[in-house]
Amino acid sequence: MAAPAATQYGGPDIDAAGQQLFDELIAEDSRIEPRDWMPEAYRKSLTRQISQHAHSEIIGMQPEANWITRAPSLKRKAILMAKVQDEAGHGLYLYSAAETLGTPRDKMTEDLIAGKARYSSIFNYPVLTWADIGAIGWLVDGAAICNQVPLCRASYGPYGRAMVRICKEESFHQRQGFEILLELANGTQAQRDMAQDAINRWYAPSLMMFGPPDDDSPNSKQSMAWNIKRFSNDELRSRFVGMIAEQVKALGLTLPDPDVRFNEDTGKWEHGPLDWEEFKEVLAGRGPCNAQRMERRREAHEDGAWVREAAAAYADKQARRAAPATEAA
Amino acid sequence: MSEANASATRITPGNALRPEDIAASHAVPSPEAAEYALWLGDDSLILAQRLGWWISRAPELEEDVALANIALDLIGHARSFLTYAGHASGRTEDDLAYFRREPEFRSAHLFEQPNGDFARTIARQFVVSHYQWELYSRLQHSTHPTLAGIAAKAVKEVDYHRDHSLQWVLRLAQGTEESRRRMTAGLKLTWPYVEELFADEPLIDALGGAAVRPSSLREPFDAAVAAVLAEADLEVPAVPGATGGGRRGVHSEHLGYILAELQVLAREHPGASW
């Protein structure tokens, strides 16, 4: 916890003192808390990152929810429901963390619905078969974990703490995804084919989840200077490739990339070229499911408006009933 | 463990049974007990399938979480009942869920009803959770140890479902004009299917003290439901009851579609494990 913070209410002198304390906290790798003074750019950058992360959890519920009603066994159905439920929970912690920076959840939701805010592009790919549920758990959640474990040490306290719990649940999801694929890999030929096809489709998009290559990643440098981001996109991507290159062997399946290798000289895992044009297209809204995901979120939000209004009106009436003295005053 | 500390998510104390316990035990039910387990298991399975649709579509994130929780509890109850029922014929829970045809299901029509809007879903849940609470709070004292054990776990969870749905009935009834109109409509659409829940079938006579007589639940159900509706300033809908038949395999038109979606993948790969 920081020393008593310089107040955020001051003029230029106090800002200077605030900036100094902030710089000291960052330099000693300590934590910034909601009441501490922080540079506007830090607040803005974090709000963007955390809300994008929250939106990704919420939009990310859709592709997997697509298989809840068709899950092929009751056990898998229960696991999948619990997983999608966890994602709603992650969205809730993250919106709460972002709210400590001063933006209310309603505003973030509006920005998402209005198409002003981004979410992870990976969720704009279609989830076509049951094996995709396994591949998403193994590859997409696996990539998310590589990205997110270092975020547990992010300089902003509420974000780092939310990530601790999220990472625990994500690792559980990853193992569940791997287990789905393992079961398919040991099943019938049709099941093995389904598993390989899913890995083929999800491999490259999951590698692109780490973001553009380091020489083309505009926000990374500042994020690292602020101790929000700890490792570069390419560094994390390389670690991830190494991890899945080993794990895919246990499945008896293959990665659709003949260039995956461990480079003895650099001590890093390498992979083949990725289609960054596709990445940019999906990011720009021209992916297979962008319109569908947004429409579904907007529809749920609009269909639920009368329920939220009713709950607010009821709470209001209850509060007035409980506090007649205030009303009289 | 005191009641105050008892949690629906923790492994429950006393004689409560989880699906894994049932699967591990090889207790074989009589044909009558198996049939009764299908009634209760199918009710929960079909409703969980309906509720699963809401996950990612609820009016608030908190409701995505709450409805998913209820669906998960119901899937758990279904798995216990179906696993046990399957022991009578050498079938698994999945054999029963995925490879029975429509007339072999035993769900009551209420559980098959469409989600409609949020108020209709809440109306259905309000009836179901009050019915199931009355049922399980008695079935946990059944002379039949397995049925009693499943009910002992379920009753704690259903108690939360009851609270969740009745709070929403109050909120929607007394929130805005629109929510009141929708809540009233939801109850009216739900009520024709209430009567079937309390109809006695010959099976109940055959089971004696092992089962709970449905007609014996009507009075406490009516009293509990009437109290909530009175607080919400709503009337118990005066609508004629629909002819049921679910316990004899005669279903609503909805069940075929529910099963088509539930079973499609498993049936594409008969014999596969997942």
Side-chain angles (χ1 to χ4, degrees), chain B residues 259-270:
Chain B
L259 295 183
E261 199 171 340
L262 172 78
Q263 298 180 335
V264 60
L265 178 58
R267 285 187 177 231
E268 263 179 52
H269 301 268

Side-chain angles (χ1 to χ4, degrees), chain A residues 38-112:
Chain A
M38 62 186 85
E40 267 317 296
Y42 178 84
R43 185 184 299 276
K44 208 174 147 196
S45 172
L46 268 171
T47 303
R48 180 184 54 83
Q49 180 171 343
I50 303 173
S51 62
Q52 271 184 21
H53 190 167
H55 299 329
S56 301
E57 297 283 357
I58 300 314
I59 297 291
M61 292 168 71
Q62 290 182 31
E64 293 182 276
N66 186 36
W67 282 89
I68 287 176
T69 53
R70 291 176 294 167
S73 77
L74 296 186
K75 182 179 141 194
R76 293 287 175 209
K77 189 189 287 286
I79 291 172
L80 184 57
M81 276 183 182
K83 184 186 175 192
V84 182
Q85 185 192 36
D86 281 351
E87 283 155 9
H90 297 173
L92 282 172
Y93 317 146
L94 288 164
Y95 282 129
S96 302
E99 281 190 314
T100 64
L101 292 160
T103 307
R105 181 167 134 195
D106 287 350
K107 169 77 171 66
M108 293 184 266
T109 304
E110 277 167 29
D111 286 350
L112 174 65

